Structure formats: structure tokens, C-alpha cells
Amino acid sequence: MIDRFHYRQDREAYSAARVKALEALLIKKGVITDRTVDTVLDFFETRMGPFNGAKIVARAWVDPAFKDRLVADTPKAIAELQLPEGMAGAEGEHMRAVANAPDVHNLIICTLCSCYPWPVLGLPPYWYKDPTFRSRAAREPRAVLTEFGLAVPDAVEIKVWDSSAQIRWFVVPERPAGTDGLSEAELEALVTPEAMMGVAVARAA
Amino acid sequence: MKLQHYLGGLEGLGPVSTETRVFVDVWETRIFGIHTAMMALSPQLPLPETPSTFNTIWTWADLRKGAESLNPFDYFRFRYYEKWLGGISGYFIDNGYITAEELDALTEEYYSEPSKPLPGAGDEAIDQRVVQYLVEGDSPKRDVTVTFEFKVGDTVAIRNVPTVEHTRLPGFLRNKFGTIETVYDGAYTYLCDTGPDGVGAAMPVYCVRFEPSDLWPDNAEKNFSLYADLYAHYVEAPEAAEASKAA
């Protein structure tokens, strides 16, 4: 991470003490319980996370009709799958998927904040929240993708989607070549959060 | 004008971060958990009452307003969850849940003894409501009759509404023209009333396509399109934009 300013030497230790003091006071004052924060974190470990998105994408790869339904009505198609309860829950109430194609590459950004589809992707990684990414992806997506190690040919149109209202977006990457014999579970392992936001593509292992 | 609303298209920034971790230090997980609990316990939600003493509204809009009210140089100085920690601590102090003095004093204690445990307490119903919120969400969609002024393919002008404390209109789209790509079904509220900025009540939302060479004349990459989901209040007919310019 690039630090452009001067920070106190004990930056992390100080924040750690401060957040622990805040959590302790909130428990003492009856705002939250001693289990609340762990309950939230556990939910994102086990129920809402990129493991759900990977299942959705793998299904779209093996079932082109499902992929069409997913792009046409994202929540309805997701509801067909046996995913944990809550796929239309917090930050996933209204989702929209866009699919890459040989001539189109999609990239999801949020120039105002960090809108992200929690149920299917979990929480946003640091790159997505980076002000430099949020600025540059709107004007020079190809240059930005190159910095992620992804060269998108000039002939491929890039569509950049800025999530400024209440719809949360994700990308269905293309199925990589050389994966014909793989099971759906094996395909899931090839799907990364970065591929589902468009700063990467899925690659055969 | 708040720089935080005008990030799209800034130049001279150097390389992007390619950091794929969600949290870069363990303490960040705790402030994320506190924020999510506040969202879930916020009293305007139609969820079961709990013994939690939290009785003031907290939504994404409150978190965003806090970040957008920072001096922009501080905004860029602080890491993502550092902004959350500052904003959320300030909220609990401003709303009388805790005092700055007790937070400072306890910070000192945990600083000198990081392994000192958290107190144990709390009613299970509080955590059940937090999980219920995560599962059910808080849909902004409302079943009300609204007028859809535009259809797919229409050219629209983007208004330059007065920026007050908070907006959902990216600065780089103001005064530009775009084409309606999608008319979303139904009407969508925003989490708070943004005053003269104009969102809050249920209204249509459009996905609008912009031509990068219009957004950044002679200074955009080739062969890409930019799309943004915009509340109807931010969008008007090109003739209306002309008329208000002439007035």
C-alpha cells in the first residue's frame, strides 16, 4: 500500500486499542453483545461470500440457458440455486449480472463509495475501495486493467458500470479454455472475486 | 463542491492498489462488525424489538456523510476502515452513548494491555436481529405508482443539482448527456432525504450510457463505454436543460 502522508509510528496498535475500547463500551452500555461482532464476521465466513458467486458462475458456464436467465433477471435466477438463505439480503436486495463475451469485457466500479454485492461476493477488497482505482477506472480502464495484469485487446469493448444507485453489480466471466472435462465443483475453484468484478478473468488452473 | 464526489477521471494519481485483501489489519474486522450491527439495530427497520439501547438511525448514508464531510486531504490520508473508526466513534460520542473522555481512557488501557479481554454481556436477541437483517436486507424498492419520463434509447441531460452534505450523483457526469440503457422496474428510495440534491423519496432509477469522448474530450481511452445507475431526479430532457440554461 502506498502511504503519501506521515502517520504515527504506532498507527495500527493505536487503532486496535481504540476499536477495542469502542467495542467494550458498546457492550457495557448495552448497544451490542460480547458476541455481536463475531456473529457478523462468522456470517461472512460461512454464508455471504465469494463462494456463492463462484457457484453461480460455474452454473452459468455449464448451463447457457441459466446464464441467459441470470443476465435477464439476476435475483430470480440466483433463487433457483441451492445457496444459503439471504441471497437477496443486505447489499444484495437488487443485483444485476453482466456477462463477458469474446467482444465485451465488463468492469464494475463505484466512484462515490464502495457498493458491492455482499451475498454473492462478500466484502469489497482494498483495490475496489482505492480512490486511485475509483478515479482512473472511469477514464482509462484499459490502463488500470494492465496494472492488474490483464491486457484487454483494443478490439474488445470495455463496459464500465458505476454503481451509483441501489443496484449491486457483478460480472460473469467467460469460461476458460481447456476446462471441458471439469466438474461444476472444479470450475468453482477457478472463479475469483477479481474475475467477478472484472479486474481479472477466470483462468484454467 | 466536495472533491469526494468528483473522483471519477482525476489525473496524475499514479498506479492503482492491487491489494486483494478485504482487511489489511485484524482490528479492521471489529469496526466492520460494529457498523453492520448498527445498521441492523437501527430503529427504522421493521425487525423485532431487542433490549439493545441503540435508538438512533444509522444507515450507509450516515457513514457516507461522515466520509464526505472530511477535509478531502484527510479523506485521502486515512485508510478505508480508519475513516469508519473515526466516523463511528464520533457518532457514538455525538449521540451521547459514550463520552470522548471514557473512550480515550479505555483506549489507553487497551493500548498498554492489548490482551485485556472485552467485557462479557448482552442479550441473544440482539445478535438474532443482526443475523435477520443480513438475511432479509433492507430493500429500497417501493410499490408506488411513479411516472417513467424516459424510455430505452432516449437522450437525457444530467442535472447539476446543488451539492450539500451528500449526493448519489457522481461529479464527472454533471451537465453531460447520456442515453437510457435500462429503465428499472418500480421505484427506489434512498436511505435519507438529501435535501436540495433531491433523492430520498421513491422514484424511478435509470441506467444511463455515456460516451467517454464526451466525458473527457480528446482524453479518454478508445472502445469503452461508461454506464451509471441514476435516480430520476438527476436526469432531465435535453430541452429542459437548454431552457434552464437560457433562463
Side-chain angles (χ1 to χ4, degrees), chain B residues 106-163:
Chain B
L106 198 53
T107 301
E108 289 292 309
E109 278 182 44
Y110 280 117
Y111 187 86
S112 46
E113 197 190 336
S115 59
K116 185 182 144 147
L118 288 167
D123 190 301
E124 208 182 316
I126 294 173
D127 298 339
Q128 283 166 1
R129 172 163 162 152
V130 171
V131 169
Q132 190 178 348
Y133 160 71
L134 287 168
V135 169
E136 293 179 8
D138 174 25
S139 172
K141 202 168 178 177
R142 296 291 178 270
D143 188 15
V144 295
T145 307
V146 286
T147 306
F148 293 89
E149 208 185 324
F150 304 106
K151 60 183 189 307
V152 171
D154 285 354
T155 298
V156 291
I158 308 306
R159 299 176 64 194
N160 186 15
V161 292
T163 303

Side-chain angles (χ1 to χ4, degrees), chain B residues 5-246:
Chain B
H5 298 149
Y6 285 76
L7 285 192
L10 291 183
E11 294 181 43
L13 297 179
V16 296
S17 164
T18 55
E19 173 60 65
T20 56
R21 283 176 295 172
V22 170
F23 301 108
V24 294
D25 202 290
V26 178
W27 70 259
E28 297 182 331
T29 64
R30 309 313 289 182
I31 194 64
F32 171 74
I34 291 169
H35 158 78
T36 303
M38 293 163 74
M39 301 263 288
L41 297 168
S42 190
Q44 86 287 0
L45 295 182
L47 293 174
E49 295 265 331
T50 75
S52 169
T53 54
F54 194 62
N55 58 9
T56 49
I57 291 186
W58 179 261
T59 69
W60 284 115
D62 298 282
L63 187 74
R64 292 169 185 161
K65 278 185 224 172
E68 291 165 21
S69 70
L70 286 171
N71 174 311
F73 301 125
D74 284 332
Y75 180 91
F76 294 109
R77 175 172 170 244
F78 294 124
R79 210 165 63 220
Y80 187 73
Y81 287 113
E82 287 175 322
K83 291 195 275 274
W84 287 36
L85 178 55
I88 290 170
S89 304
Y91 176 89
F92 280 114
I93 293 165
D94 293 345
N95 284 279
Y97 292 95
I98 61 173
T99 67
E101 291 72 25
E102 62 186 343
L103 182 61
D104 287 344
L106 198 53
T107 301
E108 289 292 309
E109 278 182 44
Y110 280 117
Y111 187 86
S112 46
E113 197 190 336
S115 59
K116 185 182 144 147
L118 288 167
D123 190 301
E124 208 182 316
I126 294 173
D127 298 339
Q128 283 166 1
R129 172 163 162 152
V130 171
V131 169
Q132 190 178 348
Y133 160 71
L134 287 168
V135 169
E136 293 179 8
D138 174 25
S139 172
K141 202 168 178 177
R142 296 291 178 270
D143 188 15
V144 295
T145 307
V146 286
T147 306
F148 293 89
E149 208 185 324
F150 304 106
K151 60 183 189 307
V152 171
D154 285 354
T155 298
V156 291
I158 308 306
R159 299 176 64 194
N160 186 15
V161 292
T163 303
V164 277
E165 55 175 352
H166 184 45
T167 186
R168 292 312 296 170
L169 175 58
F172 71 101
L173 301 178
R174 291 165 182 260
N175 297 315
K176 304 293 183 183
F177 294 90
T179 309
I180 302 283
E181 189 263 350
T182 302
V183 179
Y184 292 105
D185 271 347
Y188 292 80
T189 59
Y190 186 61
L191 300 157
C192 67
D193 181 335
T194 62
D197 171 79
V199 302
M203 63 180 76
V205 171
Y206 300 102
C207 184
V208 182
R209 178 184 181 276
F210 295 89
E211 189 58 50
S213 59
D214 291 340
L215 297 175
W216 334 105
D218 298 323
N219 197 18
E221 286 183 357
K222 303 278 182 262
N223 202 18
F224 92 96
S225 308
L226 189 131
Y227 299 81
D229 287 333
L230 297 173
Y231 281 95
H233 184 75
Y234 298 141
V235 170
E236 66 184 351
E239 305 77 55
E242 283 303 317
S244 59
K245 220 185 281 171

